[in-house]
């Protein structure tokens, strides 16, 4: 699945032409790096992710985004990403949300749905002081349930498409590398996959 790098930088904090950060905080570095990824400027993004992590090594957002970026570039594996996130507090919305995204991207749709369910349960629980420990900033509280609902629909659609492909093609290998993205038709009957092997199926 694509679209795992979800936050974007605000232009107030960044100089787009020179990649200079006016307010050097981990969050600003991280958001600017994500924006550079979306613009296809991977090397500049990698440098800013490192600056974000050197500014705040325990930034969940920066660790997640840098890990995903490294994984997509083939510099690490999905297992490396999961291991890095294991050190963060459990029972937090953002941690569960990020685990759901990673499992969806790696094609483990059952685990993704379990983490979506866990994130929903956490969000519906009464707020406590622990909810304000700085780890739950990626999705504003008022948008979390709708974000989870959208993610759940995407995961279910991807899972259904995968099952349909397996039913149609049996054990035939459709790609020789990781599937990098899935695109669904508006009516949900067709799915196109793009892979690191430079093919579209």
């Amino acid at each position: 699945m694509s679209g795992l790098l979800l936050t974007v930088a605000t232009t107030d904090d960044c100089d787009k032409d020179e990649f200079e950060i006016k307010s050097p905080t981990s969050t600003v570095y991280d958001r600017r790096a994500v924006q550079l990824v979306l613009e296809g400027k991977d090397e500049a993004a990698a440098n800013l992710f490192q600056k974000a992590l050197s500014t705040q090594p325990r930034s969940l957002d920066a660790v997640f985004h840098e890990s995903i970026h490294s994984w997509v570039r083939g510099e690490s594996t999905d297992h490396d990403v999961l291991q890095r996130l294991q050190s963060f507090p459990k029972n937090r919305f953002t941690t569960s949300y990020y685990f759901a995204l990673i499992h969806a991207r790696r094609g483990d749709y059952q685990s993704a749905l379990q983490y979506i369910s866990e994130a929903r349960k956490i969000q519906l629980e009464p707020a406590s002081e622990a909810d304000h420990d700085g780890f739950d900033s990626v999705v504003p509280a008022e948008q979390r349930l709708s974000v989870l609902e959208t993610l759940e629909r995407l995961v279910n659609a991807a899972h259904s498409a995968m099952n349909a492909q397996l039913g149609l093609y049996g054990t035939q290998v459709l790609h020789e590398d990781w599937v990098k993205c899935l695109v669904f038709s508006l009516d949900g009957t067709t799915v196109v996959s793009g892979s690191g092997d430079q093919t579209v199926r």
Side-chain angles (χ1 to χ4, degrees):
M1 289 179 72
S2 60
L4 292 188
L5 299 175
L6 299 177
T7 53
V8 293
T10 59
T11 53
D12 295 341
D13 295 324
C14 308
D15 184 325
K16 283 192 166 193
D17 296 327
E18 299 181 8
F19 308 131
E20 289 184 14
I21 304 297
K22 297 176 183 176
S23 307
T25 67
S26 178
T27 300
V28 172
Y29 281 132
D30 177 61
R31 290 181 179 176
R32 179 61 180 139
V34 169
Q35 185 175 348
L36 290 173
V37 169
L38 297 174
E39 293 171 4
K41 299 172 181 171
D42 284 339
E43 290 304 319
N47 291 335
L48 285 187
F49 281 132
Q50 291 308 313
K51 286 185 179 183
L53 291 171
S54 66
T55 304
Q56 176 51 267
R58 294 288 297 160
S59 166
L60 177 57
D61 291 347
V63 168
F64 172 78
H65 289 135
E66 191 280 331
S67 298
I68 291 291
H69 186 240
S70 175
W71 174 24
V72 169
R73 292 175 57 164
E75 298 166 355
S76 64
T77 67
D78 54 337
H79 296 288
D80 296 329
V81 178
L82 293 170
Q83 188 171 20
R84 287 184 73 184
L85 289 187
Q86 290 292 340
S87 66
F88 285 90
K90 308 299 183 286
N91 201 31
R92 295 288 185 274
F93 174 86
T94 303
T95 310
S96 297
Y97 174 67
Y98 279 158
F99 272 115
L101 290 175
I102 292 165
H103 283 295
R105 183 173 186 106
R106 67 198 296 253
D108 184 353
Y109 301 120
Q110 291 297 329
S111 294
L113 291 170
Q114 288 173 355
Y115 278 106
I116 290 170
S117 177
E118 182 179 300
R120 182 179 289 115
K121 180 180 173 189
I122 292 167
Q123 180 57 26
L124 293 174
E125 290 175 353
S128 67
E129 287 184 22
D131 293 330
H132 306 289
D133 61 2
F135 289 104
D136 284 348
S137 60
V138 66
V139 180
E142 65 276 6
Q143 296 176 13
R144 289 179 183 172
L145 292 177
S146 63
V147 165
L148 288 177
E149 184 179 321
T150 300
L151 180 58
E152 187 173 38
R153 280 198 314 267
L154 289 171
V155 168
N156 279 322
H159 194 194
S160 296
M162 182 188 73
N163 288 337
Q165 264 192 344
L166 290 176
L168 184 60
Y169 297 105
T171 58
Q172 179 183 354
V173 176
L174 300 178
H175 288 292
E176 295 176 5
D177 199 348
W178 284 97
V179 171
K180 302 284 187 176
C181 65
L182 293 172
V183 179
F184 299 90
S185 64
L186 292 177
D187 63 6
T189 61
T190 306
V191 62
V192 176
S193 56
S195 168
D197 63 10
Q198 306 298 312
T199 63
V200 175
R201 305 278 186 207

